[in-house]
Amino acid sequence: MARVVMHGVVSVDGFVALPDDTVGPLFDWYFNGDTQLTAHASGWTFPVSRASFDHVQPFWDRIDVTLIGRHLFDTTDGWDGKPAAGDQLVVVTHRPLPESWVAEHPDAPFHTAGSVEAGVALAQELAGDGLVCVTAGDLGGQAFSAGLVDEVAMDVVPVVLGEGVRYFGSHTGTVLLDDPDQVVQGDRVLHLHYTVRR
């Protein structure tokens, strides 16, 4: 069965976006290096440090399916029909995707599910034995609270935002993670990876 990793770029105080959904300086590290990081599904490239490339490129290449919430879909306009990572994308939503968007992107490898549990199950089915990436924030926090997340990956940026969208959404309660098995210092970012302790 596919493993599920919750991932996001996060401030030191635990926010993945400001209250207005902008990211402020969180993504600056994507543009401060000389090595081209490539999101193959979308074709996007980012000049990052060599250390960040060596960590992030293999991670992105292993992602088969990305799982996002409807809010992120609407905020990004569905990334123009191209998954940010992986070959397919599942949107957790209680509403159909906009007809105009579907008509404009008839070949988009996007699927929908009506709940977090159904979304994770569909993403795992699509990924086979691969990797499912759940975006951090409210959706990721719901999956984490439901015990559906196997791994946590964070790109920690040295900034304190003070308010905004929390990495773990509204999750409360104590969950133990194993010690980090990956700690990589990039330029203005620290890449961390944990396994959720079962």
Side-chain angles (χ1 to χ4, degrees), residues 32-147:
N32 67 357
D34 56 9
T35 306
Q36 290 298 319
L37 176 66
T38 303
H40 294 294
S42 64
W44 301 335
T45 60
F46 306 94
V48 299
S49 70
R50 185 69 206 192
S52 287
F53 172 86
D54 289 344
H55 173 76
V56 176
Q57 189 69 67
F59 170 59
W60 282 6
D61 289 348
R62 285 194 313 273
I63 297 170
D64 294 292
V65 180
T66 297
L67 181 70
I68 69 171
R70 180 58 183 262
H71 182 73
L72 183 57
F73 174 89
D74 290 341
T75 301
T76 64
D77 194 28
W79 290 306
D80 204 26
K82 299 170 186 167
D87 296 323
Q88 300 187 71
L89 188 138
V90 175
V91 182
V92 175
T93 180
H94 300 296
R95 299 171 282 134
L97 300 182
E99 289 182 17
S100 59
W101 186 92
V102 173
E104 188 176 339
H105 307 286
D107 298 324
F110 284 39
H111 311 270
T112 59
S115 69
V116 171
E117 293 81 3
V120 170
L122 175 58
Q124 287 181 306
E125 179 184 333
L126 293 168
D129 292 329
L131 189 65
V132 172
C133 181
V134 178
T135 54
D138 291 333
L139 178 77
Q142 291 174 44
F144 188 79
S145 292

